[in-house]
Amino acid sequence: MSLNRKRKKELRRLQNQAAKLWETQQVLVGQAGEVAREAGRQLGNYNREHVVPTVQHSYDKFAAPYVEQGVETGRRVLNNALVPAAGAVVGTALSVWDVANDKRHRLAHGKSFGDFDLAKFKKNAAKAGKKATKQFTVAPPAKKGIGAGGVIAIILGVAATSGVLYAAWQTLRADDELWVADDPLRAPDA
């Protein structure tokens, strides 16, 4: 099927228009990419300058005292209750071990079971308990910086901020299809 010259001319013109439209769209996509990169950079700056300090301040004001109080309570319980009890148990066990070794040594050398000194046994047990308590005491850790709670707070703050910004953008963007004019358009007076 052959096309006449008029149709061929129209098809070439349509092809040229499509090529121009394609080029224009490529330029537009490139510009949109540049705008998106700049928006990402600006969002990073805003996050660094406004969101992170706000979240850090909120964490320091509200969450940090409770976290520090919990850590201090745990350290106190560990140092004042668990470590002394464990030290006493270890010290007593070591004293019993020493007494048993001493008795085994005496029996091996032909000495009898006699002359067990309970006061000496208690003294050795107390000394070993104190030594074990000092050895197992937990020192307070050095403050490192933002912890897991701070990271979670930052993530929640960024998510909330992005939700608010998205809602504001959806509210304020221009949708020409949604606009309904009150009056029909009139031709200007001549």
Side-chain angles (χ1 to χ4, degrees):
M1 181 162 97
S2 140
L3 297 175
N4 62 16
R5 275 197 270 170
K6 182 178 178 184
R7 296 284 179 237
K8 286 183 183 178
K9 187 177 179 182
E10 288 175 353
L11 285 174
R12 274 194 301 271
R13 189 174 27 175
L14 182 62
Q15 191 175 18
N16 288 339
Q17 287 177 346
K20 287 180 185 177
L21 178 63
W22 179 253
E23 288 175 14
T24 305
Q25 286 180 345
Q26 293 302 315
V27 169
L28 182 66
V29 167
Q31 290 174 347
E34 290 174 10
V35 168
R37 277 189 294 280
E38 180 63 22
R41 190 178 70 77
Q42 290 298 328
L43 183 62
N45 289 340
Y46 182 79
N47 183 30
R48 195 171 30 261
E49 294 169 1
H50 296 287
V51 174
V52 170
T54 302
V55 169
Q56 182 66 39
H57 173 71
S58 297
Y59 172 78
D60 290 342
K61 185 176 179 183
F62 298 112
Y66 297 109
V67 171
E68 290 174 11
Q69 182 181 10
V71 169
E72 185 60 36
T73 300
R75 185 179 305 118
R76 218 174 321 122
V77 166
L78 187 66
N79 286 338
N80 296 339
L82 295 177
V83 170
V89 168
V90 169
T92 304
L94 289 175
S95 294
V96 169
W97 183 265
D98 287 342
V99 168
N101 278 341
D102 187 45
K103 289 299 174 187
R104 195 172 343 159
H105 181 71
R106 286 176 182 240
L107 286 175
H109 289 88
K111 297 181 181 173
S112 67
F113 281 106
D115 71 344
F116 178 71
D117 189 9
L118 183 61
K120 184 178 177 186
F121 177 74
K122 285 181 180 180
K123 182 180 172 187
N124 287 340
K127 189 190 305 183
K130 286 181 183 178
K131 182 178 178 185
T133 301
K134 287 180 183 176
Q135 189 174 10
F136 292 118
T137 301
V138 177
K143 179 110 172 140
K144 294 180 184 174
I146 193 164
V151 171
I152 291 171
I154 288 172
I155 290 171
L156 291 176
V158 167
T161 303
S162 61
V164 169
L165 291 175
Y166 179 74
W169 176 71
Q170 287 292 331
T171 303
L172 299 176
R173 71 185 176 123
D175 280 335
D176 293 334
E177 298 98 31
L178 298 177
W179 182 259
V180 178
D182 293 337
D183 311 357
L185 295 175
R186 297 184 319 183
D189 295 334

Coordinates of all heavy atoms in Angstrom, one line a residue, residues 16-100:
N16 N 9.0 14.3 13.2 CA 9.8 15.3 13.6 C 9.3 15.9 15.0 O 10.1 16.2 15.9 CB 9.9 16.5 12.6 CG 10.8 16.0 11.4 OD1 11.6 15.1 11.5 ND2 10.6 16.7 10.3
Q17 N 8.0 16.1 15.1 CA 7.4 16.6 16.3 C 7.7 15.6 17.5 O 8.0 16.0 18.6 CB 5.9 16.8 16.2 CG 5.6 18.0 15.3 CD 4.0 18.1 15.1 OE1 3.3 17.2 15.4 NE2 3.6 19.3 14.7
A18 N 7.5 14.3 17.2 CA 7.8 13.2 18.2 C 9.2 13.3 18.6 O 9.6 13.1 19.8 CB 7.4 11.9 17.7
A19 N 10.2 13.4 17.7 CA 11.6 13.5 18.0 C 11.9 14.7 18.9 O 12.6 14.7 19.9 CB 12.4 13.5 16.7
K20 N 11.3 15.9 18.5 CA 11.5 17.1 19.3 C 10.9 16.9 20.7 O 11.5 17.3 21.7 CB 10.8 18.3 18.7 CG 11.6 18.8 17.5 CD 10.9 20.0 16.9 CE 11.6 20.5 15.6 NZ 10.8 21.6 15.0
L21 N 9.7 16.3 20.8 CA 9.1 16.0 22.1 C 10.0 15.1 22.9 O 10.2 15.3 24.1 CB 7.7 15.4 21.9 CG 7.0 15.0 23.2 CD1 6.7 16.3 24.0 CD2 5.7 14.3 22.9
W22 N 10.6 14.1 22.3 CA 11.5 13.2 23.0 C 12.7 13.9 23.5 O 13.1 13.7 24.7 CB 11.9 12.0 22.1 CG 12.8 11.0 22.7 CD1 14.1 10.9 22.5 CD2 12.5 10.1 23.7 NE1 14.7 9.9 23.3 CE2 13.7 9.4 24.0 CE3 11.3 9.7 24.4 CZ2 13.7 8.4 25.0 CZ3 11.4 8.7 25.3 CH2 12.6 8.1 25.6
E23 N 13.3 14.8 22.7 CA 14.4 15.5 23.2 C 14.1 16.5 24.4 O 14.8 16.6 25.3 CB 15.0 16.4 22.0 CG 15.7 15.6 21.0 CD 16.1 16.4 19.8 OE1 16.1 17.7 19.9 OE2 16.4 15.9 18.7
T24 N 12.9 17.1 24.2 CA 12.4 18.0 25.3 C 12.2 17.2 26.6 O 12.6 17.6 27.7 CB 11.1 18.7 24.9 OG1 11.3 19.3 23.7 CG2 10.7 19.7 25.9
Q25 N 11.7 16.0 26.5 CA 11.4 15.2 27.7 C 12.8 14.7 28.3 O 12.9 14.7 29.5 CB 10.6 14.0 27.3 CG 9.1 14.3 27.1 CD 8.3 13.1 26.8 OE1 8.8 12.0 26.4 NE2 7.0 13.2 26.8
Q26 N 13.7 14.4 27.5 CA 15.1 14.0 28.0 C 15.7 15.2 28.8 O 16.3 15.0 29.8 CB 16.0 13.6 26.8 CG 15.5 12.3 26.2 CD 15.4 11.1 27.2 OE1 16.3 10.9 28.0 NE2 14.3 10.4 27.1
V27 N 15.6 16.4 28.2 CA 16.1 17.6 28.9 C 15.4 17.8 30.2 O 16.0 18.0 31.3 CB 16.0 18.8 28.0 CG1 16.3 20.1 28.8 CG2 16.9 18.7 26.8
L28 N 14.0 17.6 30.2 CA 13.2 17.7 31.4 C 13.6 16.7 32.4 O 13.7 17.0 33.6 CB 11.7 17.6 31.0 CG 10.7 17.8 32.2 CD1 10.8 19.2 32.7 CD2 9.3 17.5 31.7
V29 N 13.8 15.5 32.0 CA 14.2 14.4 33.0 C 15.6 14.7 33.6 O 15.8 14.5 34.8 CB 14.2 13.0 32.3 CG1 14.9 12.0 33.1 CG2 12.8 12.6 32.0
G30 N 16.5 15.2 32.8 CA 17.8 15.6 33.3 C 17.7 16.7 34.3 O 18.3 16.7 35.4
Q31 N 16.8 17.7 34.0 CA 16.6 18.8 35.0 C 15.9 18.3 36.3 O 16.3 18.7 37.4 CB 15.8 19.9 34.4 CG 16.5 20.7 33.3 CD 15.6 21.7 32.6 OE1 14.4 21.6 32.7 NE2 16.3 22.6 31.8
A32 N 15.0 17.4 36.1 CA 14.3 16.8 37.3 C 15.3 16.1 38.1 O 15.3 16.1 39.4 CB 13.2 15.9 36.8
G33 N 16.3 15.4 37.5 CA 17.3 14.7 38.3 C 18.2 15.6 39.1 O 18.5 15.4 40.2
E34 N 18.5 16.8 38.4 CA 19.3 17.8 39.1 C 18.5 18.4 40.3 O 19.1 18.6 41.4 CB 19.7 18.9 38.1 CG 20.7 18.5 37.1 CD 20.9 19.6 36.0 OE1 20.5 20.7 36.3 OE2 21.6 19.3 35.0
V35 N 17.3 18.6 40.1 CA 16.4 19.1 41.2 C 16.4 18.1 42.3 O 16.5 18.5 43.5 CB 15.0 19.5 40.7 CG1 14.1 19.8 41.8 CG2 15.1 20.7 39.8
A36 N 16.2 16.8 42.0 CA 16.1 15.8 43.0 C 17.4 15.7 43.8 O 17.4 15.5 45.0 CB 15.8 14.5 42.4
R37 N 18.6 15.8 43.1 CA 19.9 15.7 43.8 C 20.0 16.9 44.7 O 20.5 16.8 45.8 CB 21.0 15.7 42.8 CG 21.3 14.3 42.2 CD 22.6 14.3 41.4 NE 22.5 15.1 40.2 CZ 21.9 14.7 39.0 NH1 21.4 13.5 39.0 NH2 21.9 15.5 38.0
E38 N 19.6 18.1 44.2 CA 19.7 19.3 45.1 C 18.8 19.2 46.3 O 19.2 19.6 47.4 CB 19.4 20.6 44.2 CG 19.5 21.9 45.0 CD 20.9 22.2 45.6 OE1 21.9 21.6 45.0 OE2 21.0 22.9 46.5
A39 N 17.6 18.7 46.0 CA 16.7 18.5 47.1 C 17.2 17.5 48.2 O 17.1 17.7 49.4 CB 15.3 18.0 46.6
G40 N 17.8 16.5 47.7 CA 18.5 15.5 48.7 C 19.6 16.2 49.4 O 19.7 15.9 50.7
R41 N 20.4 17.0 48.8 CA 21.5 17.7 49.5 C 20.9 18.6 50.5 O 21.4 18.7 51.6 CB 22.3 18.4 48.5 CG 23.6 19.0 49.0 CD 24.5 19.7 48.0 NE 23.9 20.9 47.5 CZ 23.9 22.1 48.2 NH1 24.5 22.1 49.4 NH2 23.4 23.1 47.7
Q42 N 19.9 19.4 50.1 CA 19.2 20.3 51.0 C 18.6 19.6 52.2 O 18.6 20.1 53.4 CB 18.2 21.2 50.3 CG 18.8 22.2 49.3 CD 19.7 23.2 50.0 OE1 19.5 23.6 51.2 NE2 20.7 23.6 49.3
L43 N 18.0 18.4 51.9 CA 17.4 17.7 53.0 C 18.5 17.2 54.0 O 18.3 17.2 55.2 CB 16.6 16.5 52.4 CG 15.9 15.6 53.5 CD1 14.8 16.4 54.2 CD2 15.2 14.4 52.8
G44 N 19.6 16.8 53.5 CA 20.7 16.4 54.3 C 21.2 17.5 55.2 O 21.5 17.3 56.4
N45 N 21.3 18.7 54.6 CA 21.7 19.9 55.3 C 20.7 20.2 56.4 O 21.1 20.5 57.6 CB 21.9 21.1 54.4 CG 23.1 21.0 53.5 OD1 24.0 20.2 53.8 ND2 23.1 21.7 52.4
Y46 N 19.4 20.2 56.1 CA 18.4 20.5 57.0 C 18.4 19.4 58.2 O 18.3 19.8 59.4 CB 17.0 20.4 56.4 CG 15.9 20.8 57.3 CD1 15.6 22.1 57.6 CD2 15.1 19.8 57.9 CE1 14.6 22.4 58.5 CE2 14.1 20.1 58.7 CZ 13.8 21.4 59.1 OH 12.8 21.7 59.9
N47 N 18.6 18.2 57.8 CA 18.7 17.1 58.8 C 19.9 17.4 59.8 O 19.7 17.3 61.0 CB 18.8 15.8 58.1 CG 18.8 14.6 59.1 OD1 18.2 14.7 60.2 ND2 19.5 13.6 58.8
R48 N 21.0 17.7 59.2 CA 22.2 17.9 60.0 C 22.1 19.2 60.9 O 22.5 19.2 62.0 CB 23.4 18.0 59.0 CG 24.7 17.9 59.7 CD 25.9 17.8 58.6 NE 25.7 18.5 57.4 CZ 25.3 17.9 56.2 NH1 25.1 16.6 56.2 NH2 25.2 18.5 55.1
E49 N 21.5 20.2 60.3 CA 21.4 21.5 61.0 C 20.2 21.6 62.0 O 20.3 22.3 63.0 CB 21.4 22.7 60.0 CG 22.6 22.8 59.2 CD 22.5 23.7 58.0 OE1 21.4 24.3 57.9 OE2 23.4 23.9 57.3
H50 N 19.1 21.0 61.7 CA 17.9 21.2 62.5 C 17.4 19.9 63.2 O 17.1 20.0 64.4 CB 16.8 21.8 61.7 CG 17.1 23.1 61.1 ND1 17.2 24.3 61.9 CD2 17.5 23.5 59.8 CE1 17.5 25.3 61.1 NE2 17.7 24.9 59.9
V51 N 17.3 18.8 62.5 CA 16.7 17.6 63.0 C 17.6 17.0 64.1 O 17.1 16.7 65.2 CB 16.3 16.6 61.9 CG1 15.8 15.3 62.5 CG2 15.3 17.2 61.0
V52 N 18.8 16.7 63.7 CA 19.7 16.1 64.6 C 19.9 16.8 65.9 O 19.8 16.2 67.0 CB 21.1 15.7 64.0 CG1 22.1 15.3 64.9 CG2 20.9 14.7 62.8
P53 N 20.1 18.1 65.9 CA 20.2 18.9 67.2 C 18.9 18.8 68.0 O 19.0 18.7 69.2 CB 20.6 20.3 66.8 CG 21.2 20.2 65.4 CD 20.5 19.0 64.8
T54 N 17.8 18.9 67.3 CA 16.5 18.8 68.1 C 16.3 17.5 68.7 O 15.9 17.4 69.9 CB 15.4 19.1 67.1 OG1 15.6 20.4 66.5 CG2 14.0 19.1 67.8
V55 N 16.6 16.4 67.9 CA 16.5 15.1 68.5 C 17.5 14.8 69.6 O 17.1 14.3 70.6 CB 16.7 14.0 67.4 CG1 16.8 12.6 67.9 CG2 15.5 14.1 66.4
Q56 N 18.7 15.3 69.4 CA 19.7 15.2 70.5 C 19.3 15.9 71.8 O 19.4 15.4 72.9 CB 21.1 15.7 70.0 CG 22.2 15.5 71.0 CD 22.6 14.1 71.2 OE1 22.6 13.3 70.3 NE2 22.8 13.7 72.5
H57 N 18.8 17.1 71.6 CA 18.3 17.9 72.7 C 17.2 17.2 73.4 O 17.1 17.0 74.7 CB 17.9 19.3 72.3 CG 17.2 20.1 73.4 ND1 18.0 20.6 74.5 CD2 15.9 20.4 73.6 CE1 17.1 21.2 75.3 NE2 15.9 21.1 74.8
S58 N 16.2 16.6 72.7 CA 15.1 15.9 73.2 C 15.5 14.7 73.9 O 15.1 14.3 75.0 CB 14.1 15.6 72.1 OG 13.5 16.7 71.6
Y59 N 16.5 14.0 73.3 CA 17.0 12.7 74.0 C 17.7 13.1 75.3 O 17.5 12.5 76.3 CB 18.0 12.0 73.1 CG 18.7 10.9 73.7 CD1 18.1 9.7 74.0 CD2 20.0 11.0 74.2 CE1 18.7 8.6 74.6 CE2 20.7 10.0 74.8 CZ 20.0 8.8 75.0 OH 20.6 7.8 75.7
D60 N 18.5 14.2 75.2 CA 19.3 14.6 76.5 C 18.3 15.0 77.5 O 18.5 14.8 78.7 CB 20.3 15.7 76.1 CG 21.4 15.2 75.3 OD1 21.7 14.0 75.3 OD2 22.1 16.0 74.7
K61 N 17.2 15.7 77.1 CA 16.3 16.2 78.1 C 15.3 15.2 78.7 O 15.1 15.2 79.9 CB 15.5 17.3 77.4 CG 14.5 18.0 78.4 CD 13.8 19.2 77.7 CE 12.9 19.9 78.6 NZ 12.1 20.9 77.9
F62 N 14.8 14.3 77.8 CA 13.8 13.3 78.3 C 14.3 11.9 78.5 O 14.0 11.3 79.6 CB 12.7 13.3 77.3 CG 12.0 14.6 77.1 CD1 12.1 15.3 75.9 CD2 11.2 15.2 78.1 CE1 11.5 16.5 75.8 CE2 10.6 16.4 78.0 CZ 10.7 17.1 76.8
A63 N 15.1 11.3 77.6 CA 15.4 9.9 77.7 C 16.7 9.7 78.5 O 16.8 8.7 79.3 CB 15.5 9.3 76.3
A64 N 17.7 10.5 78.3 CA 19.0 10.3 78.9 C 19.0 10.2 80.4 O 19.7 9.3 81.0 CB 20.0 11.4 78.5
P65 N 18.2 11.0 81.2 CA 18.2 10.8 82.6 C 17.7 9.4 83.1 O 18.3 8.8 84.0 CB 17.3 11.9 83.1 CG 17.3 12.9 82.1 CD 17.5 12.2 80.8
Y66 N 16.7 8.9 82.4 CA 16.2 7.6 82.8 C 17.1 6.5 82.4 O 17.3 5.5 83.1 CB 14.8 7.4 82.1 CG 13.8 8.4 82.6 CD1 13.3 9.4 81.7 CD2 13.3 8.3 83.9 CE1 12.4 10.3 82.2 CE2 12.4 9.3 84.4 CZ 12.0 10.3 83.5 OH 11.1 11.2 83.9
V67 N 17.8 6.6 81.2 CA 18.8 5.6 80.8 C 19.9 5.6 81.8 O 20.4 4.6 82.2 CB 19.2 5.9 79.4 CG1 20.4 5.0 79.0 CG2 18.1 5.7 78.4
E68 N 20.4 6.8 82.1 CA 21.6 6.9 83.1 C 21.2 6.4 84.4 O 22.0 5.7 85.1 CB 22.1 8.3 83.1 CG 22.8 8.8 81.9 CD 23.2 10.3 81.9 OE1 23.0 10.9 83.0 OE2 23.6 10.8 80.9
Q69 N 19.9 6.7 84.9 CA 19.5 6.2 86.2 C 19.4 4.7 86.1 O 19.8 4.0 87.1 CB 18.1 6.8 86.5 CG 17.5 6.4 87.8 CD 16.2 7.0 88.0 OE1 15.5 7.5 87.1 NE2 15.7 6.9 89.2
G70 N 18.9 4.1 85.1 CA 18.9 2.6 85.0 C 20.2 2.0 85.0 O 20.5 1.0 85.6
V71 N 21.2 2.6 84.3 CA 22.5 2.1 84.2 C 23.2 2.2 85.6 O 23.8 1.3 86.1 CB 23.4 2.8 83.2 CG1 24.9 2.5 83.3 CG2 22.9 2.5 81.8
E72 N 22.9 3.3 86.3 CA 23.5 3.5 87.6 C 22.9 2.5 88.6 O 23.6 2.0 89.5 CB 23.3 5.0 88.1 CG 23.9 5.3 89.4 CD 25.5 5.1 89.4 OE1 26.1 5.4 88.4 OE2 26.0 4.7 90.4
T73 N 21.6 2.3 88.5 CA 20.9 1.4 89.4 C 21.5 -0.1 89.2 O 21.8 -0.8 90.2 CB 19.4 1.4 89.2 OG1 18.9 2.7 89.5 CG2 18.7 0.4 90.1
G74 N 21.6 -0.4 87.9 CA 22.2 -1.7 87.6 C 23.6 -1.9 88.2 O 24.0 -2.9 88.7
R75 N 24.4 -0.8 88.0 CA 25.8 -0.9 88.5 C 25.8 -1.0 90.0 O 26.6 -1.7 90.6 CB 26.5 0.4 88.1 CG 28.0 0.4 88.5 CD 28.8 1.6 88.0 NE 28.6 1.9 86.6 CZ 28.1 3.0 86.1 NH1 27.6 3.9 86.9 NH2 28.0 3.1 84.8
R76 N 24.9 -0.2 90.7 CA 24.8 -0.2 92.2 C 24.4 -1.6 92.6 O 25.0 -2.2 93.6 CB 23.8 0.8 92.6 CG 24.2 1.5 93.9 CD 23.3 2.6 94.3 NE 22.8 3.4 93.2 CZ 21.5 3.6 92.9 NH1 20.6 3.0 93.7 NH2 21.1 4.3 91.9
V77 N 23.4 -2.2 92.0 CA 23.0 -3.6 92.4 C 24.1 -4.6 92.2 O 24.4 -5.4 93.1 CB 21.7 -4.0 91.6 CG1 21.5 -5.5 91.8 CG2 20.5 -3.2 92.1
L78 N 24.8 -4.4 91.1 CA 25.9 -5.3 90.8 C 27.0 -5.2 91.8 O 27.5 -6.2 92.3 CB 26.4 -5.1 89.4 CG 27.5 -6.0 88.8 CD1 26.9 -7.4 88.7 CD2 28.0 -5.6 87.5
N79 N 27.4 -3.9 92.0 CA 28.6 -3.7 92.9 C 28.2 -3.9 94.4 O 29.1 -4.4 95.2 CB 29.1 -2.3 92.8 CG 29.9 -2.1 91.5 OD1 30.4 -3.1 90.9 ND2 30.0 -0.9 91.0
N80 N 27.0 -3.6 94.8 CA 26.7 -3.7 96.3 C 26.0 -5.0 96.7 O 26.0 -5.3 97.9 CB 25.8 -2.5 96.6 CG 26.5 -1.2 96.5 OD1 27.7 -1.1 96.5 ND2 25.7 -0.1 96.3
A81 N 25.5 -5.7 95.7 CA 24.8 -7.0 96.1 C 25.4 -8.2 95.5 O 25.8 -9.1 96.2 CB 23.3 -6.9 95.7
L82 N 25.5 -8.2 94.2 CA 25.9 -9.4 93.5 C 27.4 -9.7 93.6 O 27.8 -10.9 93.9 CB 25.6 -9.4 92.0 CG 24.1 -9.3 91.7 CD1 23.8 -9.2 90.2 CD2 23.4 -10.6 92.2
V83 N 28.2 -8.7 93.4 CA 29.7 -8.9 93.5 C 30.1 -9.3 94.9 O 30.9 -10.3 95.1 CB 30.5 -7.7 93.0 CG1 31.9 -7.8 93.3 CG2 30.2 -7.6 91.5
P84 N 29.7 -8.7 96.0 CA 30.1 -9.1 97.3 C 29.6 -10.6 97.6 O 30.3 -11.3 98.2 CB 29.4 -8.1 98.3 CG 29.2 -6.9 97.5 CD 29.0 -7.4 96.1
A85 N 28.4 -10.9 97.2 CA 27.9 -12.2 97.4 C 28.7 -13.3 96.7 O 29.1 -14.3 97.2 CB 26.4 -12.3 97.1
A86 N 29.0 -12.9 95.4 CA 29.8 -13.9 94.6 C 31.2 -13.9 95.2 O 31.8 -15.0 95.2 CB 29.8 -13.4 93.1
G87 N 31.7 -12.8 95.6 CA 33.1 -12.8 96.2 C 33.1 -13.6 97.5 O 34.1 -14.4 97.7
A88 N 32.1 -13.5 98.3 CA 32.0 -14.4 99.5 C 32.0 -15.8 99.2 O 32.7 -16.7 99.8 CB 30.8 -14.0 100.4
V89 N 31.2 -16.2 98.2 CA 31.0 -17.6 97.8 C 32.4 -18.1 97.2 O 32.9 -19.2 97.6 CB 29.9 -17.8 96.7 CG1 30.0 -19.1 96.1 CG2 28.6 -17.5 97.4
V90 N 33.0 -17.3 96.4 CA 34.3 -17.7 95.8 C 35.3 -17.8 96.9 O 36.1 -18.7 96.9 CB 34.7 -16.7 94.7 CG1 36.1 -16.9 94.3 CG2 33.8 -16.9 93.5
G91 N 35.3 -16.8 97.8 CA 36.3 -16.8 98.9 C 36.2 -18.0 99.8 O 37.2 -18.6 100.2
T92 N 34.9 -18.3 100.1 CA 34.7 -19.5 101.0 C 35.1 -20.8 100.3 O 35.8 -21.6 100.9 CB 33.2 -19.6 101.3 OG1 32.8 -18.3 101.9 CG2 32.9 -20.7 102.3
A93 N 34.8 -20.8 99.0 CA 35.2 -22.0 98.2 C 36.7 -22.2 98.1 O 37.3 -23.3 98.3 CB 34.6 -22.0 96.8
L94 N 37.4 -21.0 97.9 CA 38.9 -21.1 97.9 C 39.4 -21.5 99.3 O 40.4 -22.2 99.3 CB 39.4 -19.7 97.4 CG 39.2 -19.4 95.9 CD1 39.7 -18.0 95.6 CD2 39.9 -20.4 95.1
S95 N 38.8 -21.0 100.3 CA 39.3 -21.3 101.7 C 39.1 -22.8 101.9 O 40.0 -23.5 102.5 CB 38.6 -20.5 102.7 OG 38.9 -19.2 102.6
V96 N 38.0 -23.3 101.5 CA 37.7 -24.7 101.7 C 38.7 -25.5 100.9 O 39.3 -26.6 101.3 CB 36.3 -25.1 101.3 CG1 36.1 -26.6 101.2 CG2 35.3 -24.5 102.3
W97 N 39.0 -25.1 99.7 CA 40.0 -25.7 98.8 C 41.4 -25.7 99.5 O 42.1 -26.7 99.5 CB 40.0 -25.0 97.5 CG 40.9 -25.6 96.5 CD1 42.2 -25.3 96.2 CD2 40.7 -26.7 95.6 NE1 42.8 -26.1 95.3 CE2 41.8 -27.0 94.9 CE3 39.5 -27.5 95.4 CZ2 41.9 -28.0 93.9 CZ3 39.6 -28.5 94.5 CH2 40.8 -28.8 93.8
D98 N 41.7 -24.5 100.1 CA 43.0 -24.5 100.7 C 43.1 -25.4 101.9 O 44.1 -26.1 102.2 CB 43.3 -23.0 101.2 CG 43.7 -22.1 100.1 OD1 44.0 -22.6 99.0 OD2 43.6 -20.9 100.3
V99 N 42.0 -25.5 102.7 CA 42.0 -26.3 103.9 C 42.1 -27.8 103.4 O 42.9 -28.6 104.0 CB 40.8 -26.1 104.7 CG1 40.6 -27.2 105.8 CG2 40.9 -24.7 105.4
A100 N 41.4 -28.1 102.4 CA 41.4 -29.5 101.9 C 42.8 -29.8 101.4 O 43.3 -30.9 101.6 CB 40.4 -29.7 100.8

